[in-house]
Amino acid sequence: MTGEKGPGTKDQRPETPDNRKPHPAVVSGLSSPVAGLPPGLQPGGPLTALAPMQDVTDLAFMRVIAHYGAPDYFFTEFFRVHAQSRPEKHILRSIDENTTGRPVFAQLIGEDLHHLERTVHLLLRHNIAGIDLNLGCPAPKVYKKNVGGGLLREPEKVAGILAVLRATVPGLFTVKMRIGFADTANFDRLLDLVNEHRVDLLSVHGRTVKEMYRSEVHYDWIAHAARRVRCPVLANGNLASAARAAAVLAATGAAGVMMGRHAIRNPWIFRQCREHFAGRAISRLTLGDVREYVERLYRATQSADLPERAHVNKMKKYLNFVGQSVDADGAFLHAMRRAQSEADLFTVCDRHLLAEPAREFSPEPYAGVIARPNCETPDDVADGCSLETVTA
């Protein structure tokens, strides 16, 4: 989208998130209309949601996040829908064994109308808050199958899918999408389809599929969506802190925010958002707090069938994000990535997190401390819907 203008003329482009007045919801306690949606934890305030992430937002991670301050809404990893598919048992656990106290939406990815309808009927047997359609996954392995973000190239096919799902889902039907595939040419048509098929909630990641996670987030296009659709919009993309979330709400007029990778880095972020939205001081976090989080996350994600080395490697993917706020020179990340065992990993954590346990854990990532390689994973092997692409 280099050089591409926003949804209006140059003079009509929204101001950047950092120089706008606060969103009315932040000032007055009033948010965009959310009729029919489950009530949030902060009555009248902006909504918050944990973004669905493959291999991350499972039952264990949801419980850890809830311990530190749950979002208003959870969304499952996507259920793959095709002729041979059945709802994956490990994803169903995040619905059936949900003890967070917050509603969970079941996310689908697929294109076959019959099997989408069949899968909805199967999921309606479970305690879901609603059905969510994935129109945003940027993984080449996914969009080459013409599902996820790949469908954004074919608005009329999307129209058929939305029509079937709206007719099949008796309750809440939500959509998560990006602003386009390679450009925003179809964006208005897709937004009009959201209106036509009475979608109840729209989450918009402010990048195209082809931009993956490389570019700046185009918040002006999220603002455009918030103006054009009749349902509430959640803004998604690089929301690193409560202050940033409030600024993006001000810039976009969205009804709330959806956060993913930064909730891995900082599981307190939803609680901090509510504090900031209410005009209270944001909780200060310390490296000692982070050491406790690492321990809790490690124990929560352990399983008897996962060898220690494999579990340590999985933890490294989470800690790639955590390390962005530990120290400005990336020393924790450098040492953590070389751990080979549980003992190694916690030795590194103790050395870097408990030497000065009262030192502040940075609310924003330190500049230049990255959670993934400088060069993106090649498009033909990348799985942009999991931690494989966005971490080192």
Side-chain angles (χ1 to χ4, degrees), residues 41-42 46-50 64-74 102 240-243 245-246 257 259 262-263 266-286 289-290 292-293 296 361:
L41 288 165
Q42 189 174 56
L47 296 168
T48 60
L50 177 64
V64 170
I65 289 289
H67 174 80
Y68 296 105
D72 294 316
Y73 305 147
F74 287 103
R102 302 309 306 157
S241 65
V257 291
M259 298 173 167
H262 290 292
N266 172 12
W268 297 269
I269 198 165
F270 299 111
R271 186 183 79 189
Q272 290 178 321
C273 281
R274 285 189 286 274
E275 290 169 344
H276 192 60
F277 297 159
R280 303 193 302 269
I282 298 174
S283 297
R284 179 183 182 273
L285 305 176
T286 68
D289 295 326
V290 174
E292 190 276 334
Y293 164 49
R296 182 177 296 276
F361 181 69

Side-chain angles (χ1 to χ4, degrees), residues 62-80:
M62 286 166 50
R63 286 174 172 172
V64 170
I65 289 289
H67 174 80
Y68 296 105
D72 294 316
Y73 305 147
F74 287 103
F75 290 79
T76 67
E77 303 166 82
F78 56 65
F79 290 96
R80 294 171 175 84

Side-chain angles (χ1 to χ4, degrees), residues 329-343:
D329 58 5
F332 170 77
L333 281 178
H334 183 270
M336 176 276 296
R337 287 168 178 162
R338 285 152 182 78
Q340 301 297 314
S341 67
E342 176 181 329

Side-chain angles (χ1 to χ4, degrees), residues 80-85 108-120 133 145-148 151 157 160-161 164-165 168:
R80 294 171 175 84
V81 178
H82 50 79
Q84 291 78 41
S85 69
L108 307 183
I109 192 166
E111 63 166 343
D112 185 287
L113 300 182
H114 169 71
H115 293 295
L116 284 167
E117 182 179 12
R118 173 181 61 81
T119 303
V120 168
L133 175 66
K145 297 177 182 177
N146 206 38
V147 297
L151 284 167
K157 189 158 194 173
I161 293 171
V164 166
L165 290 178
T168 307

Side-chain angles (χ1 to χ4, degrees), residues 138 203 242 260 272 302:
S203 303
Q272 290 178 321
Q302 271 184 309

